[in-house]
Amino acid sequence: MSGVLDQTERAFQKQAGVHLGNARQLGKKNVRVKRMVKKVGLGFSTPKEAVEGNYIDKKCPWTGTVSIRGRVFRAMVLATKMKRTIVVRKNYLHYVKKYNRFEKRHKNVSVHCSPCFEPKEGDIVTCGECRPLSKTIRFNVLKVQKNQIFGTARKQFRLF
């Protein structure tokens, strides 16, 4: 890992709880920058990029201050056009009592995606609930499985 943190914002970005001003290491070269990484639990392993990377994301469940609790679901990625946010399609079945059958329904959900993942359209992601991160984002990506669908991923109804 390089000694330089990814600075993409106008304000200096640093991890909470990591002191960067160690006087003994100021003149030394090849000094490894301290990095705070935690486990999210629920059987999800920490990605290699989260441990070895040098990105700063306060909304990342491994390197930030966000905890995962509540609902966990799998969905398909629809769009990755926003910065650190993806739109996923959450498919489910709704029971209609009158006809004693199920109907297909879906919701599009905005999900925060940490820089340690690089999902593409059609990939299957596992998302976990966290505190509200913005007006519409209440979930965080925990795992990415590569695309098994050929062609367009839109309007594909698959239960996972």
Side-chain angles (χ1 to χ4, degrees):
M1 178 167 80
S2 65
V4 180
L5 298 172
D6 286 345
Q7 297 294 329
T8 58
E9 306 295 330
R10 294 180 76 174
F12 182 74
Q13 302 292 305
K14 70 181 196 76
Q15 284 186 305
V18 177
H19 181 63
L20 298 176
N22 193 345
R24 287 175 288 176
Q25 296 177 351
L26 286 176
K28 295 181 181 178
K29 294 181 180 176
N30 297 336
V31 175
R32 183 176 171 165
V33 176
K34 293 179 183 176
R35 186 163 178 79
M36 187 269 300
V37 180
K38 63 181 180 180
K39 296 179 181 175
V40 297
L42 302 171
F44 292 101
S45 60
T46 305
K48 186 178 178 183
E49 181 62 31
V51 176
E52 297 175 359
N54 55 1
Y55 67 89
I56 305 269
D57 184 13
K58 64 181 182 180
K59 297 177 181 178
C60 174
W62 290 280
T63 62
T65 57
V66 176
S67 60
I68 302 296
R69 79 286 192 280
R71 294 178 180 258
V72 175
F73 67 90
R74 294 175 75 192
M76 184 184 302
V77 178
L78 282 185
T80 58
K81 296 176 183 175
M82 292 178 273
K83 182 180 178 183
R84 295 186 180 178
T85 302
I86 61 174
V87 178
V88 298
R89 180 183 170 110
K90 185 177 172 182
N91 296 320
Y92 60 96
L93 296 173
H94 177 254
Y95 183 70
V96 181
K97 195 173 180 182
K98 178 179 178 182
Y99 298 111
N100 195 22
R101 282 167 174 69
F102 291 94
E103 65 182 3
K104 296 176 186 177
R105 289 192 177 181
H106 81 276
K107 292 276 189 228
N108 288 349
V109 181
S110 295
V111 178
H112 180 78
C113 185
S114 174
C116 63
F117 296 118
E118 293 180 2
K120 298 188 174 35
E121 288 188 20
D123 289 352
I124 307 299
V125 294
T126 305
C127 306
E129 188 180 8
C130 58
R131 64 175 169 81
L133 302 177
S134 70
K135 179 182 173 184
T136 59
I137 300 174
R138 277 103 175 94
F139 291 93
N140 232 312
V141 173
L142 299 175
K143 191 177 179 181
V144 176
Q145 294 175 335
K146 292 300 166 196
N147 182 5
Q148 291 101 14
I149 300 169
F150 297 103
T152 180
R154 287 187 102 65
K155 293 209 165 189
Q156 288 272 345
F157 188 89
R158 290 181 44 192
L159 288 175
F160 308 109

